Amino acid sequence: MTDTQRADHGAAGAGPGLQPGAQPHPTFRDLYGREAECGGVAPGRVNLIGEHTDYNGGFVLPTVIPQRTTVELAVRDDRVVRAWSANIHEPPAEYHLGSEARRGAWIDYVQAVTWVLPEAGHALCGADIRISSSVPLGGGLSSSAALEMALLRAFRAAFGLQIDDVPLAKLGQRAENEFVGAPCGIMDQMACSLAEDRVALFLDTRTLAFDRVPLPPGVDLVVINSGVSHRVAGGDYATRRRECEEAAHMLGAPQLRDVPAASLEQRIESLPDTLRRRVRHVVTEDQRVVDAVEAMRARDVARLGELFYASHASMRDDYQVSIPEIDLLVDLARKDPRVHGARLTGGGFGGSIVALVRAATGRDVGERVAREYHARSGRTATVLVPPALGA
Ligand code: GLA
């Protein structure tokens, strides 16, 4: 992943999903009559385990997926920003620096970034921007964070900004929380900024200390998008977040991270049923992240797989963020002897599952699960990882 990638008008420029015979997407030169000067790239992420723990000060274990968001950029000598996205079939959107205002559209992510950088003391001038992405929108795989981080990297390169990867991730989260209005935690931006292929980022979201933990040999990851769109800006995510804050307050803890796992049932017995469930999920999920890291280090794939299933059950029954389509995907995966474990990944209410499978069987497992899913639900699932040959 490079920061100052020259604009590339090849396969990435054509964008994913372009139908044979369809018009190729316009290049940077087509759009703006000149070449891009620099750019930024950031991957989507898949969280292996540790869901809804980040805004509770807990642990997460994400890694990256091969799908990426690419931003090409050329600086302007005025204060106009023009941005175009290959994923949206519209002419470039335009605004003036300093007049950013939320429109409830994709351009808000660009506005959020040009709003947050000056807020943090980094002077900018205008820019022409071209965005293309193969990270699916609404797949629970951080298309938003990938876009924020690719944009931030492009601006960092264009204006020579002295911002390291961790503060850059924090700026991405601030842009999303305060400008876009999605109350996400820090996991996605940290993963898109720092994680690597086949290496998970074991992150303490309170201190932002992290360790890199390689996937054990002999296993592959499979990521399957259910085709049901996930949205963090939707009300359910914010409701969960509020419930956690309320429960922590009732338990006299600064955050749920601070609630000990020992004698948990006794500690939470006075809470209303819903809050009891939320606490149970968060506290046990934090422990599962620690256990998963231990299992990965010990190359104990069976144990890691069990933790995936336990995490899924907890998200489904206690945190109540799964949906029948996602449960179906997990159940279909579980029936395959090549699968060690599977779970809902990301915020939930749609999105994707991640499965841990025997090495070199990923594509086959994924396609079988997707076929049965279609037969049972009528919906089309997409196997995103491993990518199809030639994709
Ligand atoms: C979304 C948010 C993250 C995290 C996950 C759930 O992806 O953006 O911050 O809370 O949901 O683990």
Side-chain angles (χ1 to χ4, degrees):
M1 199 182 337
T2 57
D3 232 5
T4 46
Q5 228 207 13
R6 301 299 306 177
D8 174 1
H9 301 144
L18 197 67
Q19 297 304 311
Q23 285 294 309
H25 289 309
T27 63
F28 196 94
R29 173 167 282 285
D30 294 337
L31 290 164
Y32 302 117
R34 59 185 176 140
E35 296 300 332
E37 292 160 355
C38 54
V41 182
R45 69 95 186 94
V46 58
N47 191 21
L48 301 188
I49 199 160
E51 224 67 80
H52 292 274
T53 46
D54 62 351
Y55 51 83
N56 288 297
F59 302 110
V60 293
L61 193 65
T63 186
V64 300
I65 56 172
Q67 286 79 7
R68 278 168 174 42
T69 297
T70 301
V71 168
E72 300 160 75
L73 184 151
V75 172
R76 298 171 58 96
D77 54 15
D78 56 15
R79 292 184 55 79
V80 172
V81 176
R82 293 190 294 179
W84 179 87
S85 166
N87 300 70
I88 312 287
H89 304 280
E90 287 169 7
E94 194 173 317
Y95 62 91
H96 279 77
L97 285 178
S99 320
E100 289 85 355
R102 205 195 298 175
R103 299 181 196 174
W106 67 275
I107 191 65
D108 288 356
Y109 290 94
V110 184
Q111 296 196 84
V113 163
T114 63
W115 168 81
V116 84
L117 282 168
E119 280 281 316
H122 304 286
L124 302 179
C125 52
D128 289 333
I129 295 170
R130 180 186 189 278
I131 300 164
S132 58
S133 181
S134 54
V135 184
L137 305 182
L141 301 167
S142 287
S143 55
S144 312
L147 176 54
E148 288 150 12
M149 298 320 295
L151 284 162
L152 282 164
R153 288 184 160 176
F155 277 100
R156 179 168 70 177
F159 294 95
L161 306 177
Q162 300 299 311
I163 314 173
D164 289 341
D165 288 341
V166 172
L168 202 71
K170 286 166 91 171
L171 284 177
Q173 185 201 17
R174 183 171 170 205
E176 184 148 353
N177 288 168
E178 294 181 30
F179 190 90
V180 178
C184 63
I186 189 67
M187 167 170 72
D188 301 348
Q189 290 78 11
M190 283 292 283
C192 296
S193 187
L194 290 143
E196 297 161 18
D197 194 35
R198 279 198 75 89
V199 180
L201 194 75
F202 173 32
L203 173 69
D204 178 335
T205 63
R206 174 173 286 169
T207 62
L208 298 190
F210 61 85
D211 229 347
R212 297 182 196 277
V213 188
L215 261 193
V219 292
D220 279 345
L221 293 178
V222 175
V223 178
I224 308 173
N225 185 347
S226 65
V228 181
S229 194
H230 141 98
R231 284 190 65 228
V232 171
D236 292 325
Y237 184 92
T239 304
R240 291 296 177 285
R241 209 178 157 143
R242 260 199 318 277
E243 288 166 348
C244 289
E245 282 159 14
E246 194 186 333
H249 181 73
M250 288 173 79
L251 294 170
Q255 283 183 297
L256 291 185
R257 153 80 181 267
D258 304 295
V259 175
S263 325
L264 182 64
E265 288 307 319
Q266 242 169 302
R267 274 178 219 282
I268 60 180
E269 97 197 320
S270 61
L271 295 182
D273 181 55
T274 305
L275 297 192
R276 209 158 50 225
R277 287 168 188 268
R278 306 303 184 244
V279 179
R280 194 183 295 127
H281 166 74
V282 173
V283 174
T284 59
E285 184 78 351
D286 260 339
Q287 186 58 47
R288 278 187 290 271
V289 178
V290 174
D291 294 347
V293 170
E294 203 181 289
M296 281 168 79
R297 289 191 172 133
R299 300 183 172 191
D300 188 345
V301 172
R303 172 77 183 128
L304 188 58
E306 277 169 19
L307 291 163
F308 271 41
Y309 286 131
S311 169
H312 183 73
S314 178
M315 288 177 87
R316 182 192 58 210
D317 303 336
D318 280 336
Y319 218 63
Q320 299 176 301
V321 290
S322 192
I323 56 167
E325 289 86 347
I326 291 281
D327 294 339
L328 176 60
L329 284 173
V330 170
D331 289 344
L332 292 172
R334 192 196 275 266
K335 290 207 178 97
D336 194 314
R338 297 166 296 180
V339 177
H340 301 290
R343 55 180 291 278
L344 162 62
T345 185
F349 309 106
S352 301
I353 69 157
V354 58
L356 190 69
V357 306
R358 200 188 305 151
T361 67
R363 197 66 213 171
D364 201 51
V365 168
E367 282 170 1
R368 186 195 60 74
V369 169
R371 263 196 316 276
E372 287 178 27
Y373 175 75
H374 183 69
R376 299 269 292 268
S377 71
R379 286 188 176 271
T380 302
T382 314
V383 183
L384 297 166
V385 180
L389 273 181

